[in-house]
Amino acid sequence: METRERARLDAYFSRIAKEFAPSARPASLLVTHLLPERPAFVRAVGLVSHLRGVLPKSKSVHVGAKREVERVVEVDELSRERFADPDTALAYLESRAAGEPVVLLDVGGYFAPALDALCERFSGSVLGIVEDTENGHKRYAERAKLPCPVISVARSPLKEPEDFLMGQSVVFSTEALLRGRGDILHGRPALVLGFGKLGSSIARLLHAKGVHVTVYDIDPVRRAQALSQGFSVARDRDAALKSAGLVLCATGALSLRGEDFPELKNGAFVATVTSSEDELELSGLPDYYNKAVAAEHITRYETTGHYFYLLNGGEAVNFLHGASVGPFIFLVQAEIIAAVRALANGGLDATMHEISAADRSRIAATWLHFYNER
């Protein structure tokens, strides 16, 4: 990032932090993709809270960004296993924020499995969760009862530009990997699993490139939406898998089970938009498949009479090329900061919440002041 852009980003987040400063700063722990522009957001979180630890998503860590963040805050290892066990999760929280009121900033529902224990047994107090993704939103929303407030920005209107541009980056990276081995998207029938904001963006962009796109979503409303937009909609997911030359997983949940992989069309490519641990049950793949490197970031799985390709080891394919969506991502990051204030100021019941329309308007106006140059 150039010096001028860095200065503008820091000025933007300084303004946001000032506008949404809580009456009393809580402690915080931050799960994040540690991409090149992310230190500015991390610093902003540190302005509205006492940031006690950063937990970067392991497959999206930029070395330079990590070094920059490590100068001001502890950077710890993130894994599903660490927070699946209540005792381990509690020990970590105590090691970083013992006795303090704390806000947990999540990307993917990492804190969900141990949340009851954290709220009941932590020496401080868990003020609430801020969740950034659809996958994480579902993890919290599906609980019968929440022990603390959860503010989700996953379905915010401010996230729509990010979702659209993220779809562009997914299609770009998928096409780049195919072209790198002398293949192209055109003429390869695609199946998009999931027709939410990201999946629908991917489907439209593939269609614009001349790809025949079939859509499947477990939600019949979304299937109807896809049909109204001119896409083929699979009646039978399993049958659609057998004819797709490219399968793009955008459900934010488990897309392909272990028994699905042998049903893939010979030579099919599989790509995801989130972590492999969320979208793919690779551990359930039959052990008679052999695994080999087909090209850089392309793995070939083969057994007698059948083979398929997995892009980027099953991790989000767009992170190979930075997953950049430009300055639009700063809208959602500002909303996360506003959510910190909402939790710190209290008064929210232990249910799912969103940031108010008024706060979203303030964020958008501030963003336009810095990034609408015309």
Side-chain angles (χ1 to χ4, degrees), residues 73-106:
V73 66
E74 295 288 341
V75 175
D76 299 311
E77 182 180 350
L78 176 68
S79 69
R80 291 282 178 199
E81 292 73 22
R82 168 174 249 175
F83 294 104
D85 178 68
D87 292 334
T88 304
L90 182 62
Y92 173 72
L93 186 55
E94 294 287 3
S95 72
R96 288 285 174 256
E100 297 185 89
V102 65
V103 172
L104 305 176
L105 309 179
D106 206 351

Side-chain angles (χ1 to χ4, degrees), residues 213-241:
V213 179
T214 298
V215 168
Y216 181 79
D217 194 294
I218 60 172
D219 185 348
V221 173
R222 288 181 174 176
R223 294 202 299 272
Q225 290 172 338
L227 196 63
S228 74
Q229 294 176 32
F231 295 108
S232 298
V233 176
R235 288 177 175 268
D236 186 315
R237 167 191 172 278
D238 296 343
L241 282 175

Side-chain angles (χ1 to χ4, degrees), residues 119-164:
C119 290
E120 293 169 7
R121 297 161 52 193
F122 176 51
S123 63
S125 60
V126 177
L127 300 179
I129 304 284
V130 183
E131 175 54 54
D132 184 36
T133 67
E134 180 65 20
N135 175 30
H137 178 107
K138 291 176 180 177
R139 289 175 186 265
Y140 290 110
E142 289 171 355
R143 292 174 55 103
K145 184 178 181 181
L146 287 166
C148 67
V150 175
I151 299 180
S152 172
V153 302
R155 299 177 181 180
S156 167
L158 294 182
K159 199 174 178 69
E160 290 177 6
E162 177 189 344
D163 287 329
F164 174 74

